[in-house]
Amino acid sequence: MADCATMPEEVLRFDNVWCTHDLERDHVDNISFSLRRGEGLLISGPEGSGKSLILDLVIGKRRPHFGQIWFEGQPLETSYDEEKLESLRFSIGYVAQNPGLINNLSLLENIILPLRYHTLLEEDELVAAADIWIERYELAHKKHQRPVALTYSEMVRTALIRALVVEPRLLLLDNITDAMCPLAARRILELLFEDIRLRGITHIISSYHPLVFAGHDLQFMLLYRGEVVFQGKVSDIQNSENNFVIQYCNYRTLGPMRAFNPVA
């Protein structure tokens, strides 16, 4: 396999990555993929399949037991001291289904927080940078409200802006639209994919509902109990004859997958 150092446009690569723990249900077995600048990967699978674990591996929250992860041409293990991890994480935008907003800060203050700690921008420059995004994602009416006054869609949009405002090179989105009104989810994805394309942001999206992303040029990986049971493109889903894809995307309880994933 080619050395990532010779591929400057490649942003992220997993080479035969394994991660497991005897006391935890989530694990991943022999995961491999690569993403170049601006490319995206959609990961789906039942609960406990390892979707979120892959994202944790990217940001250094978890470490692989076998295999190697490359980020921008460098093996990720070289970034595992705290100072390097902090720098790495600033270059990666991460939004989870629980948006993680700080309750005693306003919407605006939540957005500018990473800029305040990691840039030398003056206060008026911080606000100006945030205002552009706040208008775009239709949040001006809640600009000075705290998270308790926000709907779920508004919290997710705020967290997305907080991730995008730092101009990340890689964006990780963990189930952010799965619990959302379909109309709101569609509009957020329209805006998000426009911003991703404009800025050439590499992205990984985790979702229980892969068909929501039909029409988007994404790689697709279906996991079951930590193993890849299908790997291709989102455009391959509709015509796939893979039994795991057919069962999962048609919400069938009968098939090779079990609806529940016990620890044992």
Side-chain angles (χ1 to χ4, degrees), residues 1-7 10 13-16 31-34 68 70:
M1 187 171 290
D3 188 334
C4 285
T6 67
M7 308 169 75
E10 187 170 69
R13 175 183 288 267
F14 274 49
D15 276 342
N16 308 116
I31 302 296
S32 294
F33 64 86
S34 66
Q68 195 164 51
W70 300 79

Side-chain angles (χ1 to χ4, degrees), residues 225-250:
R225 294 188 172 182
E227 296 184 8
V228 178
V229 294
F230 180 83
Q231 194 161 4
K233 302 278 285 185
V234 166
S235 57
D236 298 331
I237 295 175
Q238 292 284 13
N239 298 317
S240 176
E241 297 181 359
N242 180 287
N243 288 331
F244 289 93
V245 174
I246 292 170
Q247 179 191 356
Y248 188 78
C249 292
N250 289 283

